[in-house]
Amino acid sequence: MSTSTLNRRSGEFRCSVCGVEISRMAARMDHTCRGWKCRQQYHAQLQLRIRQSRVRESVRLQEFQAKLSQYREQHALEEGIDEAESFVPICVPGIVRLVIPVNEERKLQLRENLKRLIEDALELDTCQSEHRSIDRDATNSCEMSLPVLTGQACGICGGYCCTDGGDHGHLTADVMRTYIDANPAVEPEDLIDKYLSYVGSKTYEDSCIFHGAGGCTLPRSMRSDVCNTHQCNGLKDMSEGVQQGQTRFFVAVSHDEQISRHCFLSDDPKRC
């Protein structure tokens, strides 16, 4: 399907169907002239393109699911696991990055970020942060509400969701205020130093400063709400399965639809 075209020499825009000259606004909004037949044909082509895209995506998904099931059967046989079909296949993303030393510039940036957050936190009333403290305790995170299965599945990924953490770790003034309320004797500089003490000597390249080779280096009580509550699509599927009574899962880590590692999880001791 074509869209409105631009003649680069003359600067003219033309209808994607009949080729008649149209305005820049019409080219941006409709891609066609005002003729109803052109508009009807363009939207029919657009709907066809959407349907074709959905079909391709559905076929791609079915092929990957078949590949995932085949991978599960193969490794269940190799590892001596019976009833492979009883393990619900779940796919989580995988991180493919190097672990590199943390430079001092990143630590300085983190210090400045924390300083600003703590200054903002001290301007908040305790009552303003009470609601988030309650929500934090009741969060449906993998380690709190589904500790055995989803906690293990989350760990096998390696921290794909940590890559947006930068030098801020998604921390907020609310997180600082909650910690200060729980530890009223803490001084701002001491709190900054405490966070900095959890920065490891190495972290994943282009990822959160607290993202070490073994996972998040922060204790859960000092992490952001984003980090405590986020679930990727795979973990959401797994959580729904657990709530429906499923107790066995085959978790595969995939990057660009290539499976790099896996784990058979159940309510028995895990087999990875």
Side-chain angles (χ1 to χ4, degrees):
M1 184 189 75
S2 62
T3 58
S4 53
T5 58
L6 168 65
N7 186 317
R8 295 188 180 278
R9 288 187 176 180
S10 64
E12 297 175 347
F13 291 89
R14 297 193 173 278
C15 171
S16 62
V17 178
C18 69
V20 69
E21 184 178 351
I22 58 177
S23 68
R24 178 184 294 270
M25 182 62 72
R28 284 182 57 187
M29 300 296 293
D30 302 312
H31 302 287
T32 68
C33 64
R34 292 187 176 183
W36 68 269
K37 287 187 177 180
C38 287
R39 292 193 175 187
Q40 185 180 53
Q41 182 175 335
Y42 174 78
H43 285 291
Q45 291 173 342
L46 183 62
Q47 291 300 316
L48 176 61
R49 186 177 181 181
I50 291 173
R51 288 195 298 271
Q52 290 174 335
S53 176
R54 287 174 176 171
V55 169
R56 287 195 298 270
E57 180 65 19
S58 177
V59 170
R60 187 190 66 80
L61 181 60
Q62 290 175 7
E63 290 175 347
F64 182 72
Q65 288 174 335
K67 177 181 178 181
L68 190 59
S69 296
Q70 183 179 15
Y71 190 92
R72 176 193 61 185
E73 303 295 327
Q74 174 189 339
H75 285 275
L77 183 62
E78 292 176 358
E79 297 172 33
I81 295 176
D82 299 326
E83 300 178 341
E85 67 281 358
S86 67
F87 288 83
V88 179
I90 296 291
C91 185
V92 296
I95 185 169
V96 184
R97 299 189 183 187
L98 298 174
V99 176
I100 61 174
V102 178
N103 59 49
E104 290 302 316
E105 184 179 346
R106 294 196 67 182
K107 293 181 181 180
L108 289 173
Q109 185 60 56
L110 174 62
R111 178 178 287 277
E112 289 301 313
N113 290 337
L114 289 168
K115 182 179 178 181
R116 286 194 295 269
L117 291 177
I118 292 172
E119 288 174 353
D120 292 341
L122 292 174
E123 295 180 2
L124 294 174
D125 293 331
T126 300
C127 61
Q128 289 180 284
S129 62
E130 283 181 352
H131 71 281
R132 70 163 305 282
S133 298
I134 294 172
D135 291 342
R136 190 179 181 83
D137 292 338
T139 183
N140 188 33
S141 69
C142 58
E143 287 189 16
M144 291 182 180
S145 58
L146 301 169
V148 178
L149 297 175
T150 51
Q152 294 169 357
C154 184
I156 190 179
C157 141
Y160 183 85
C161 62
C162 304
T163 55
D164 290 331
D167 298 329
H168 52 76
H170 299 293
L171 295 168
T172 64
D174 279 338
V175 175
M176 299 298 111
R177 183 70 216 198
T178 297
Y179 189 91
I180 292 170
D181 290 343
N183 303 271
V186 69
E187 293 292 335
E189 199 62 31
D190 293 336
L191 182 52
I192 291 174
D193 290 340
K194 188 173 182 65
Y195 268 97
L196 284 167
S197 72
Y198 284 107
V199 176
S201 60
K202 293 185 177 182
T203 185
Y204 276 99
E205 187 176 20
D206 296 327
S207 190
C208 178
I209 191 169
F210 296 109
H211 185 191
C216 182
T217 56
L218 281 176
R220 183 166 290 278
S221 62
M222 295 179 68
R223 299 179 196 174
S224 73
D225 285 350
V226 170
C227 301
N228 276 328
T229 61
H230 175 75
Q231 289 188 331
C232 65
N233 290 333
L235 284 187
K236 288 177 182 177
D237 292 342
M238 192 172 190
S239 295
E240 290 176 4
V242 171
Q243 291 168 4
Q244 294 169 5
Q246 297 287 348
T247 60
R248 290 183 161 194
F249 297 90
F250 173 73
V251 182
V253 178
S254 172
H255 179 73
D256 290 338
E257 298 187 12
Q258 297 299 314
I259 300 172
S260 58
R261 54 189 181 276
H262 69 277
C263 189
F264 288 92
L265 299 179
S266 72
D267 50 3
D268 299 322
K270 73 172 182 178
R271 288 172 277 189
C272 294

